[in-house]
Amino acid sequence: MTDKQQGSSTTIVHPAYESPDGFSAFPTAIHHASTVLFKDVEAMRARSWLNKSTYTYGLHGTPTSFQLEGEIAQIEGGNHCVLAPSGLAAISLVNMAFLEAGDDVLVPDNAYGPNKEQGAWLQRSFGISVRFYDPMIGSGIADLILPNTKLIWTEAPGSVSMEVADVPAICAAAHSKGVLVALDNTWSAGLAFKPFEHGVDISMQALTKYQSGGSDVLMGAVITKDVELNNRLLMAHMRLGLGVGMDDVYLVLRGLQSMKLRFDAHDAAARKLATWLKSRPEIAKVLHPAWEDCPGHEVWKRDFTGAGGLFSVLFDEKYSEAQTDQFVNQLKLFKIGFSWGGSHSLCVPYRIETMRQSWSDKGILVRFNIGLEDVEDLIADIEQSLNSL
Ligand SMILES: *Cc1c(COP(=O)(O)O)cnc(C)c1O
């Protein structure tokens, strides 16, 4: 067909574009698609959501998202990865893939808040029983496992109160009763804790944090070693329609290249700051897993190779909430906001006693995310604000 015979709309829809042959460069190309083309009807009929060597529809992935899934699986030490549009969507994906009405799930009492909130919703509206357990329970979890318990969530450390759970002990108890263990591994970025070496079945990441590193993308991932577990995730992913935008995927691919360097820099700065805070009379406890104040410190030493930039402190109980709020408000470099893993330092006060079934410490909890600023400037900022109390 010549251009003369072809209508202009046809020409616009069929530009003379071919991917450049012989062009080689480092970045993964950004492949956008809703429609994915099949070469013939037989190929269309043979499509499968479970087979990642074929493409079915943009919602279920393009070469760009498959590339990121491969890289995340590798970092985590798994074989398979499924992306989701946020970390919380990745939590939902795990719950939808592995739970049904009548099942029971155990969630640690220090879990990421929206994970607990989703659990309460599953119980209220979906006929699933959800029980919250003491994160320091270890092998004692065996006593909580019921015949209908299907899944145990873990999170080590909890991202506000920082207790480090004994994940291998929980996994051993769970597996002896045929129960799956999922880990929210966001704190370690998959760098400082290798979930599958410690018995975890399903690892979940908020790629929003260190993997992106830019405070500008929301994305999540669920990583597994076992193909049957991955197939269940893929079917739930297909049914839920949890697609991701390929421009966002590209940003995470770009962020990943510097993730280890950034993570180590956050880690070193956070430990300097925690050391300094420990010397201050205003601070009763430094809840950083590398400090003995932190429950599970011994487990962290045994199982982890690093810590990243997130930790909390408990103020001496003589300081009121009004005073610790003033402390946070008077910080200049530290901004007030949720999330972490970006370049900017953040600080958030928590009413921890309202978040937990039981909590005995009296001092007010304040969480720091240490960014990539000069650590001396961060210390000076905290110092000026503490001195004003
Ligand atoms: C941020 C976070 C999530 C959720 O990630 P979003 O992408 O913000 O939905 C889940 N778990 C932990 C521990 C997190 O810090």
Side-chain angles (χ1 to χ4, degrees):
M1 205 186 275
T2 68
D3 277 356
K4 282 214 174 74
Q5 294 167 300
Q6 202 175 48
S8 62
S9 297
T10 308
T11 307
I12 290 167
V13 174
H14 293 264
Y17 172 79
E18 278 182 29
S19 54
D21 239 352
F23 172 73
S24 180
F26 290 118
T28 305
I30 306 176
H31 293 282
H32 293 112
S34 52
T35 304
V36 169
L37 303 178
F38 302 96
K39 79 176 187 319
D40 51 31
V41 172
E42 291 71 24
M44 183 270 285
R45 292 203 174 119
R47 75 192 183 282
S48 167
W49 289 284
L50 304 183
N51 177 359
K52 289 230 171 156
S53 62
T54 63
Y55 300 96
T56 55
Y57 187 58
L59 188 58
H60 313 303
T62 76
T64 312
S65 58
F66 284 10
Q67 175 71 27
L68 179 59
E69 288 175 341
E71 293 187 25
I72 297 295
Q74 195 175 24
I75 292 168
E76 209 82 9
N79 296 327
H80 314 281
C81 170
V82 184
L83 297 178
S86 68
L88 184 54
I91 290 171
S92 311
L93 176 59
V94 172
N95 284 334
M96 290 296 134
F98 297 106
L99 296 174
E100 56 187 43
D103 287 348
D104 174 65
V105 55
L106 290 163
V107 178
D109 196 29
N110 65 347
Y112 178 65
N115 187 347
K116 290 179 74 179
E117 175 53 37
Q118 185 172 115
W121 185 47
L122 290 175
Q123 171 142 318
R124 264 196 324 274
S125 305
F126 296 90
I128 291 165
S129 115
V130 180
R131 289 174 297 145
F132 301 115
Y133 67 89
D134 172 1
M136 299 310 291
I137 197 167
S139 56
I141 194 108
D143 299 337
L144 297 183
I145 296 174
L146 299 172
N148 63 334
T149 304
K150 289 290 159 58
L151 180 68
I152 299 174
W153 274 100
T154 55
E155 193 175 322
S159 64
V160 175
S161 48
M162 298 291 152
E163 305 93 333
V164 189
D166 190 339
V167 173
I170 291 173
C171 291
H175 293 162
S176 75
K177 301 196 177 181
V179 178
L180 292 170
V181 177
L183 168 72
D184 183 337
N185 198 24
T186 304
W187 185 83
S188 90
L191 295 173
F193 184 81
K194 298 296 178 189
F196 304 105
E197 291 173 16
H198 294 95
V200 168
D201 302 295
I202 303 147
S203 183
M204 169 260 144
Q205 280 288 339
L207 307 179
T208 306
K209 309 289 165 55
Y210 292 114
Q211 288 83 352
S212 129
S215 307
D216 55 358
V217 185
L218 291 154
M219 200 171 295
V222 183
I223 306 98
T224 49
K225 257 194 127 145
D226 180 88
V227 69
E228 290 308 320
L229 297 181
N230 186 56
N231 285 347
R232 292 199 37 191
L233 290 161
L234 285 173
M235 290 311 289
H237 185 269
M238 183 274 288
R239 291 170 181 141
L240 289 164
L242 297 178
V244 292
M246 295 303 146
D247 292 314
D248 288 348
V249 170
Y250 181 77
L251 289 174
V252 178
L253 279 165
R254 202 169 196 275
L256 273 189
Q257 296 172 36
S258 60
M259 176 167 76
K260 179 69 165 66
L261 273 178
R262 289 184 281 106
F263 187 84
D264 291 347
H266 288 292
D267 189 352
R271 290 197 214 202
K272 273 193 193 157
L273 243 142
T275 304
W276 183 85
L277 281 161
K278 184 78 189 142
S279 73
R280 292 289 304 204
E282 297 91 342
I283 304 301
K285 283 188 187 171
V286 172
L287 300 178
H288 183 302
W291 268 256
E292 280 172 15
D293 291 356
C294 188
H297 163 68
E298 293 299 329
V299 171
W300 177 81
K301 276 206 297 196
R302 185 191 70 197
D303 294 345
F304 287 68
T305 56
L310 193 80
F311 69 95
S312 299
V313 297
L314 289 171
F315 273 75
D316 189 288
E317 57 186 90
K318 78 171 187 245
Y319 292 96
S320 66
E321 184 176 66
Q323 285 176 298
T324 54
D325 285 356
Q326 182 198 330
F327 163 77
V328 176
N329 279 330
Q330 290 194 352
L331 291 167
K332 296 189 170 71
L333 289 174
F334 283 86
K335 305 300 178 191
I336 303 164
F338 293 109
S339 201
W340 33 282
S343 321
H344 297 79
S345 289
L346 300 169
C347 184
V348 182
Y350 284 89
R351 290 177 167 161
I352 185 74
E353 68 288 351
T354 68
M355 298 160 63
R356 300 295 290 273
Q357 292 186 326
S358 72
W359 182 261
S360 52
D361 277 299
K362 293 280 177 294
I364 288 173
L365 187 147
V366 172
R367 184 179 83 173
F368 295 101
N369 164 56
I370 309 307
L372 297 174
E373 301 93 340
D374 289 300
V375 69
E376 294 74 21
D377 294 334
L378 296 177
I379 289 174
D381 191 23
I382 294 180
E383 187 169 30
Q384 63 81 22
S385 192
L386 283 177
N387 290 345
S388 76
L389 287 182

